[in-house]
Amino acid sequence: MVLIDSRHPRFTRACLECQLDGCRLPLAMRLLLPSHVLREYEDAQPGRMPAAMGDIPLAVLSRSSSGEDVSAQWMALWSEMQLGLSELSSRSRYRVAENSGHYIHRDQPEEVLQAVAWVMDQADSARPVE
């Protein structure tokens, strides 16, 4: 599994608890998104967050900058929660895509390719030899 700057299911709630700006999606996006997608962003979804993934290969790729008007505290919380996602698997890799905002696939596509290749290598090495 590869997570590319994925929003942690508990991010909105943690952000609001820290009384930070930028916790919720902009109004225009909230009006355009289907209700089920909006709930994913706005609500903590504990049932959707696995406690652990065992040793399933997991690469978490995170942005290095906000690319938006958010505070350093917001960015620190985002980064902390990204690292937390990498702790779901005992076989994981966490990388920060330098000089990249949220759209890592556009800013640093080679980082995405490396993350996918790493997961594929990990999966191949776990297969029994026939």
Side-chain angles (χ1 to χ4, degrees), residues 3-11 49-53 58-64 74-97 104:
L3 299 177
I4 303 170
D5 208 45
S6 297
R7 188 180 190 94
H8 192 290
R10 297 187 184 116
F11 179 78
M49 183 72 177
M53 296 172 55
L58 170 65
V60 177
L61 190 56
S62 182
R63 69 178 100 179
S64 61
W74 186 99
M75 193 61 204
L77 177 62
W78 183 267
S79 297
E80 176 185 329
M81 295 189 90
Q82 291 289 295
L83 182 59
L85 288 172
S86 73
E87 295 170 355
L88 291 171
S89 173
S90 62
R91 194 161 35 142
S92 68
R93 172 178 145 171
Y94 171 75
R95 290 188 44 97
V96 174
I104 299 169

Side-chain angles (χ1 to χ4, degrees), residues 2 5 11 13 15 20 40 42 55 59-60 77 93 117:
V2 178
D5 208 45
F11 179 78
R13 181 168 287 168
C15 186
L20 301 175
E40 254 185 67
E42 297 294 328
D55 67 348
V60 177
L77 177 62
R93 172 178 145 171

